[in-house]
Amino acid sequence: MVIDFSERPIDRQVSAFLCRNVPGDIEPVRTILSLLSQAVGQGSICLDLAEIAGNTVRRSSGSEMLLPGLDHLRSIVQALPSVGRQGEHRPLVLDDEGRLYLYRYFRYQQILAGQIFSRTSSGSPEIDEPTLIKSLDRLFPQDGYGDDRQRQAASTALKRRFSVISGGPGTGKTSTVVRILCLLLEQPGGLRQRIAMAAPTGKAAARLSSSIVAIRESLQCSGEANLAIPEQVTTIHRLLGTLPGSTGFRHSDRNPLPYDTVIVDEASMIDLPLMTALITALLPDARLILLGDKEQLASVEAGAVLGDICRAGETYGSVVENCVTVLEKNYRFSEGSGISELSRAVNAGDDVEAMALMDAPGSTRISLEPLPNRDAIRRRIGVPLIDGYRGFLEAEDAAEALRRFERFRILCALRDGPWGAVGMNNVAETVLSSAGLLHVDGVFYCGRPLLVTENDYVHRLFNGDTGIILPDPSNGSLRAYFAAADGSVRSLPPEFMPKHETAFAMTVHKSQGSEFERVLMILPPEDKALLTRELIYTGITRAKESLTIWGDQSVFASAVRRRTERRSGLLDALGKRANLIF
């Protein structure tokens, strides 16, 4: 097999640094270490030597190298002075299964596995069982209309120091968590519970906060407990306390978070280093409750932590299995909903069924249409663009504009190139300007939608927040308007904006944690390795009412069949550690 390798400058630098003072033929070593660096850059936390042994590596320059077989390859790696075994402090680690790690990622993996195992195997938190059963019966009635999985998830969350609630959009993760808060607060002494809630991005935090406010009004929770349900949700980075100029946090095992229960939403977006930092910063007897969709795209950075945790029980029957609940019943989509059925088919990797669903008679809410060529794109996209964005551009005030903007979005598989988010934003500006809906006369123009791409704690703007440039009603000066978690609107001068992008179109990755009534998803004309079923699934499930996909049928089908492959030893670490004890 030929492994096509586009070596980045950082890959060359990493391999050159680690190959210093290595005698003999260093070319195979350089290639292996460059592949490791690239693997980490693509989201894996290790390089599996068994997958590259005996294969030909072909660089973008055209040069090729045939790697030796597995036994020889392992002996080459083991002989490197920079490679150590578990417990040795060297730049690289080679584990017993032939996985090669950068030391820091191996350490993160082992710490996280140890923390999870410790919390899943330690004694249960103190719970008054009669009170819990009474509360469960009221909040999750077993009358044929309730959801036993939600009840199970809530009970597990109270009885365990570590639990995971996974499920697709509309399966009731948020409503379950609000009921978990009620269960905690209704316990004897529960009103003294110190509870923190967080999410990876500011937008996800704001959505969880607004959902809690909406759900608690109809919650059958005792008066005092209902009033005590917290509404404040922060970002994980802010919860841990970022340190300027450092990758560390103010809170750690030496300075734990002062909370009895920590709940984290959108956990699929959390990378390995951040999840490790979070779990090690908890008090030993604190609960950690993770919410997320294990089928969604993993974090942009290294690791697929939520997926590995959920698979640990399935693969090994480990103790982690008893801490994971997967919600399946969908409350957003009616039975037989096209979007719901399509997401299931994509999850299963069934491209034939997925294509049939979009070709089915009457499936007007979901469709797969040919991708127009570059010359026709502006004509073809004009109708959906104008129909999708006219509403917010003609709104009378900022609050209404922000609400209307969330009705429609263009999602792109890529960031760059003519079919990527950057190219589509340029097209959108041109088309909407030609329609008289925009006047692009500078960087900050009236009606420009914004997507924040970095956290700014001074101005309380966070990665994932969306806003719009609009005139100030009092003096006409342009300001950037954003929706606050409490439903109000706040603004700041555009010059104070942190790093951001135009947001008529956004990548599927950056759409995580968002929901839109209508979605137009654009795939590139050629098949690419990053087009996977997880990406397609994530894009599909951002839509609540209708979905249109522009792309070649073969590209779509290939993406549905392809899984995201992230190499990790976390799943094995969880399973083996559990099996050693039990």
Side-chain angles (χ1 to χ4, degrees):
M1 186 179 81
V2 175
I3 302 172
D4 288 313
F5 180 35
S6 298
E7 191 176 35
R8 304 170 301 168
I10 191 172
D11 301 330
R12 288 191 291 271
Q13 292 296 324
V14 168
S15 62
F17 176 77
L18 295 172
C19 282
R20 292 181 307 170
N21 305 319
V22 174
D25 183 10
I26 66 168
E27 197 55 36
V29 176
R30 284 191 66 256
T31 300
I32 294 167
L33 297 180
S34 289
L35 286 169
L36 170 60
S37 174
Q38 183 193 63
V40 172
Q42 293 176 341
S44 294
I45 64 172
C46 59
L47 178 69
D48 192 337
L49 297 185
E51 293 185 353
I52 65 171
N55 293 316
T56 298
V57 177
R58 181 169 57 203
R59 286 183 165 84
S60 54
S61 62
S63 63
E64 294 186 354
M65 164 169 283
L66 176 63
L67 294 175
L70 181 57
D71 290 342
H72 188 195
L73 197 62
R74 290 184 69 155
S75 65
I76 291 174
V77 172
Q78 287 172 338
L80 293 174
S82 57
V83 173
R85 307 294 290 178
Q86 184 172 348
E88 297 179 346
H89 294 273
R90 297 190 188 182
L92 302 170
V93 175
L94 181 66
D95 71 10
D96 294 337
E97 283 72 34
R99 289 182 290 243
L100 183 64
Y101 299 78
L102 296 173
Y103 174 79
R104 66 189 291 254
Y105 287 104
F106 182 79
R107 184 171 178 273
Y108 288 141
Q109 173 184 286
Q110 299 308 104
I111 290 174
L112 180 58
Q115 285 278 345
I116 291 174
F117 179 75
S118 175
R119 291 178 181 278
T120 55
S121 59
S122 62
S124 301
E126 291 186 11
I127 289 293
D128 184 83
E129 192 72 24
T131 301
L132 175 60
I133 293 174
K134 183 178 178 181
S135 298
L136 285 170
D137 288 341
R138 177 169 21 89
L139 295 167
F140 301 94
Q142 295 179 302
D143 55 4
Y145 297 96
D147 190 330
D148 288 342
R149 289 287 184 96
Q150 290 186 358
R151 181 185 175 107
Q152 175 188 334
S155 179
T156 299
L158 258 73
K159 294 178 179 180
R160 298 275 184 166
R161 302 192 194 282
F162 176 82
S163 62
V164 176
I165 303 173
S166 178
T171 53
K173 296 188 298 294
T174 304
S175 63
T176 300
V177 162
V178 178
R179 286 164 173 80
I180 289 171
L181 292 171
C182 183
L183 293 172
L184 286 167
L185 294 166
E186 286 185 346
Q187 282 286 302
L191 295 176
R192 296 192 298 272
Q193 271 275 322
R194 298 170 298 174
I195 300 171
M197 292 183 290
T201 67
K203 183 164 189 177
R207 283 191 63 244
L208 177 59
S209 179
S210 61
S211 296
I212 291 170
V213 171
I215 293 170
R216 67 181 292 178
E217 294 178 1
S218 59
L219 192 64
Q220 293 185 355
C221 188
S222 62
E224 281 187 310
N226 193 299
L227 292 174
I229 291 175
E231 300 172 1
Q232 182 75 26
V233 184
T234 187
T235 64
I236 299 173
H237 285 84
R238 191 167 194 180
L239 177 71
L240 293 173
T242 54
L243 297 174
S246 170
T247 58
F249 297 96
R250 186 171 68 254
H251 290 289
S252 65
D253 57 342
R254 297 181 179 181
N255 180 30
L257 290 163
Y259 300 106
D260 303 304
T261 297
V262 175
I263 299 172
V264 181
D265 197 13
E266 296 291 349
S268 65
M269 300 170 65
I270 306 176
D271 58 54
L272 177 64
L274 184 57
M275 187 69 84
T276 305
L278 173 64
I279 201 167
T280 54
L282 299 176
L283 291 166
D285 58 351
R287 290 182 185 85
L288 175 61
I289 304 170
L290 301 179
L291 312 177
D293 185 348
K294 64 185 178 68
E295 307 297 345
Q296 252 184 222
L297 282 166
S299 61
V300 175
E301 303 300 329
V305 177
L306 185 70
D308 282 344
I309 293 171
C310 291
R311 284 190 291 272
E314 300 170 4
T315 304
Y316 292 106
S318 74
V319 69
V320 178
E321 180 182 21
N322 299 320
C323 299
V324 178
T325 307
V326 179
L327 304 181
E328 296 178 342
K329 184 176 180 179
N330 200 296
Y331 297 89
R332 177 183 304 170
F333 302 112
S334 60
E335 189 67 29
S337 160
I339 293 174
S340 179
E341 294 298 317
L342 179 60
S343 66
R344 288 196 189 101
V346 170
N347 254 344
D350 191 340
D351 58 301
V352 175
E353 175 66 14
M355 300 278 286
L357 285 166
M358 288 185 288
D359 290 337
S363 60
T364 54
R365 291 183 178 272
I366 56 173
S367 62
L368 175 63
E369 301 176 8
L371 179 69
N373 61 42
R374 294 181 65 174
D375 295 332
I377 186 68
R378 291 182 182 178
R379 295 193 304 274
R380 176 83 175 279
I381 206 169
V383 172
L385 263 177
I386 294 170
D387 183 53
Y389 289 135
R390 180 190 293 276
F392 95 82
L393 291 170
E394 294 182 344
E396 295 183 357
D397 58 61
E400 184 62 22
L402 289 165
R403 281 193 294 272
R404 292 181 182 182
F405 181 58
E406 296 304 308
R407 294 176 180 172
F408 172 75
R409 196 73 86 250
I410 298 172
L411 302 183
C412 302
L414 308 178
R415 168 181 165 76
D416 300 315
W419 312 111
V422 174
M424 286 300 104
N425 276 313
N426 292 335
V427 169
E429 288 179 335
T430 301
V431 170
L432 295 172
S433 295
S434 298
L437 295 171
L438 283 182
H439 179 57
V440 181
D441 56 355
V443 175
F444 297 111
Y445 54 85
C446 182
R448 182 190 174 199
L450 307 169
L451 174 68
V452 177
T453 58
E454 69 177 12
N455 295 329
D456 181 348
Y457 295 100
V458 173
H459 297 104
R460 294 178 292 122
L461 291 174
F462 304 100
N463 183 19
D465 286 352
T466 52
I468 306 172
I469 299 292
L470 294 169
D472 186 330
S474 63
N475 57 26
S477 64
L478 292 180
R479 296 181 69 84
Y481 287 84
F482 292 85
D486 62 2
S488 63
V489 174
R490 60 192 183 88
S491 68
L492 72 161
E495 296 78 15
F496 291 177
M497 279 289 299
K499 189 176 179 181
H500 61 278
E501 302 171 349
T502 304
F504 291 112
M506 62 198 303
T507 63
V508 174
H509 262 102
K510 290 185 177 179
S511 73
Q512 292 184 86
S514 299
E515 295 174 356
F516 313 103
E517 293 176 11
R518 293 169 290 149
V519 165
L520 169 60
M521 182 160 59
I522 299 179
L523 306 180
E526 304 91 14
D527 188 23
K528 295 180 180 293
L530 60 78
L531 297 178
T532 64
R533 74 180 63 164
E534 289 84 1
L535 183 140
I536 300 295
Y537 170 83
T538 302
I540 289 169
T541 53
R542 298 313 92 198
K544 294 192 290 186
E545 295 182 5
S546 69
L547 166 76
T548 301
I549 301 175
W550 284 2
D552 185 89
Q553 290 187 357
S554 63
V555 172
F556 175 80
S558 179
V560 171
R561 292 192 299 268
R562 181 185 295 118
R563 289 210 70 122
T564 298
E565 297 290 345
R566 289 199 169 186
R567 300 296 174 258
S568 164
L570 179 59
L571 188 151
D572 283 351
L574 288 169
K576 288 189 173 182
R577 186 170 293 235
N579 289 336
L580 283 172
I581 301 299
F582 294 97

